[in-house]
Amino acid sequence: QDSSKMLNDIASVHSNLYKILNWVTTQYDAKKREDLSKQQVLKMAEVVEQIKKSIGSKDLEPEEKKAFQVTLEHLLEYQKPALGVIDIAAADANTAIMFISTADEKYQILNKSFSELLVLENKLSRFRYDVAVQSYNTTRMIFLIVVVIAVVLSFVISLCVTRMVLKPVQKTIQVVQQLAEGDLTRKIDVDSHDEIGELVQSLAQILGVDIAF
């Protein structure tokens, strides 16, 4: 967007050079002509500074920085005859016309440099966008995989814990049922020493049943 604005600014400057010449030949208001001339000088200086600032940016790719440097060189080459037109126009319109011819040639070269810079920036912008999209998709895929793994692990852990809790209880229930049927020879196997194991031991003592650890 900055490069596009700079290109438009320079195009406006070049167009206004012809307006200044036209105002000189038609002896238009000298004050307005002077104001317009100053605006073009300032605008060219602003574009030069913007390009220098862009070149100093750490975010530029090497090829992008090189393109800016080439554009700056062409801009400085254009600036000289453009300033010549502005400086001489008021005093000698015929000489200013000679300068505008040189400015035209330099402007065509500069315009080409800006156009190539815009093409390069659009290319790099698409590349950065594609990389960002790919990175987002990769991150989303990793997140989904982590979620699936977490769900599976949670299910497996929950199943294991449930079996650890229910196994001694189920064995105790079986023994109690057999005792109720008159079989007093059964033993209760206890695999755990936690609260469930203590509960089974207490029940076995009440029933008078042996416990096997």
Side-chain angles (χ1 to χ4, degrees):
Q1 293 180 350
D2 290 340
S3 298
S4 179
K5 181 181 182 301
M6 287 188 283
L7 176 58
N8 290 334
D9 287 343
I10 294 300
S12 175
V13 168
H14 195 66
S15 175
N16 285 330
L17 291 182
Y18 280 94
K19 181 181 288 188
I20 292 170
L21 283 177
N22 181 57
W23 284 1
V24 169
T25 56
T26 58
Q27 297 182 346
Y28 190 68
D29 189 311
K31 180 65 169 60
K32 290 184 177 180
R33 187 178 67 233
E34 183 180 353
D35 290 343
L36 182 62
S37 297
K38 289 181 179 179
Q39 290 173 9
Q40 308 321 302
V41 173
L42 291 174
K43 189 169 290 186
M44 282 189 287
E46 288 175 0
V47 174
V48 169
E49 290 303 317
Q50 286 175 348
I51 294 180
K52 288 181 179 179
K53 183 178 179 181
S54 297
I55 292 174
S57 174
K58 297 180 180 180
D59 298 329
L60 289 185
E61 298 291 336
E63 55 183 330
E64 194 176 6
K65 184 174 183 178
K66 183 178 179 180
F68 269 109
Q69 290 172 334
V70 171
T71 302
L72 178 60
E73 292 174 4
H74 292 161
L75 175 57
L76 294 175
E77 291 175 0
Y78 168 77
Q79 190 180 31
K80 293 177 181 179
L83 291 175
V85 172
I86 294 172
D87 292 339
I88 300 173
D92 188 349
N94 292 328
T95 304
I97 291 174
M98 295 175 59
F99 272 92
I100 197 68
S101 177
T102 303
D104 278 336
E105 294 177 5
K106 298 300 182 181
Y107 173 73
Q108 295 303 323
I109 297 174
L110 176 59
N111 186 66
K112 182 180 179 181
S113 295
F114 265 118
S115 298
E116 291 175 350
L117 176 60
L118 286 173
V119 170
L120 176 60
E121 287 187 328
N122 288 334
K123 176 184 174 182
L124 291 175
S125 294
R126 287 195 298 269
F127 174 75
R128 292 178 184 124
Y129 173 77
D130 292 339
V131 170
V133 170
Q134 184 177 0
S135 176
Y136 168 76
N137 291 334
T138 301
T139 303
R140 185 177 64 174
M141 181 61 66
I142 292 174
F143 174 76
L144 291 176
I145 291 174
V146 170
V147 170
V148 171
I149 292 175
V151 171
V152 172
L153 284 177
S154 176
F155 175 77
V156 171
I157 292 173
S158 176
L159 182 62
C160 291
V161 170
T162 301
R163 291 185 63 182
M164 289 175 60
V165 172
L166 292 181
K167 186 176 180 180
V169 174
Q170 289 174 341
K171 286 183 178 180
T172 302
I173 291 174
Q174 291 177 357
V175 171
V176 170
Q177 289 177 341
Q178 290 173 349
L179 289 173
E181 295 173 357
D183 186 358
L184 303 178
T185 63
R186 300 295 299 176
K187 293 183 179 181
I188 300 177
D189 296 325
V190 179
D191 298 327
S192 61
H193 298 274
D194 54 9
E195 289 80 358
I196 297 298
E198 293 177 359
L199 176 62
V200 173
Q201 290 181 45
S202 298
L203 181 60
Q205 291 175 358
I206 293 173
L207 298 174
V209 179
D210 293 334
I211 300 177
F213 290 96

